[in-house]
Amino acid sequence: MAVAKEQQWATSFQEVNDTNEELSAHGKFFTCTYLLDMETKKILLQMHAGKVEKITVDPGPLDSYQFAIRASADTWKKFSMPTPPPMYHGIWAASFQGDMKLEGDLIVLMQNLRCITTQLELLREVGSPV
């Protein structure tokens, strides 16, 4: 049953992402693979030209990614609220909060920051898988 819920979330997230006007306009070079570590759930996002190529829920140890955004399930739940509380509205604010961590090739993150910021804000539409 949990697998069906996770697959439904992944499908919803991909649909919202792939129809987002801002990502369509700015995502031409948004091609990377990154991990969202939500403590109890991990999401591997493979992006190509601003579109979701693949979403892997709970990837294996050999699934590679360029960078990771890690935080507790509680932080991701707050981050995904339609109106997040203070210090949960963006990755920088949540990092200053002390719980969210950015790891890996941060140059790739910075090169795609506008698109990643927009993409993570879509969690406020579809919710968090945790």
Side-chain angles (χ1 to χ4, degrees), residues 78-121:
K78 290 176 182 175
F79 190 93
S80 301
M81 296 173 118
T83 304
M87 301 308 288
Y88 295 94
H89 62 280
I91 60 174
W92 303 116
S95 294
F96 297 141
Q97 183 73 9
D99 185 49
M100 188 169 276
K101 305 276 188 267
L102 309 173
E103 299 175 357
D105 191 346
L106 298 184
I107 291 175
V108 176
L109 169 65
M110 296 306 288
Q111 289 169 332
N112 294 289
L113 186 60
R114 181 177 187 157
C115 290
I116 290 166
T117 299
T118 300
Q119 188 176 52
L120 292 178
E121 288 173 354

Side-chain angles (χ1 to χ4, degrees), residues 13-14 16-18 20 22-36 45-54 66-67 69 107-122:
F13 186 81
Q14 182 169 357
V16 169
N17 180 91
D18 291 354
N20 183 276
E22 186 172 346
L23 287 170
S24 293
H26 298 285
K28 182 178 180 181
F29 300 106
F30 180 28
T31 299
C32 63
T33 301
Y34 69 100
L35 182 75
L36 298 178
L45 288 157
Q46 293 174 268
M47 302 300 302
H48 182 74
K51 305 293 184 195
V52 173
E53 190 170 88
K54 185 177 179 185
Q66 292 163 291
F67 63 91
I69 304 173
I107 291 175
V108 176
L109 169 65
M110 296 306 288
Q111 289 169 332
N112 294 289
L113 186 60
R114 181 177 187 157
C115 290
I116 290 166
T117 299
T118 300
Q119 188 176 52
L120 292 178
E121 288 173 354
L122 298 177

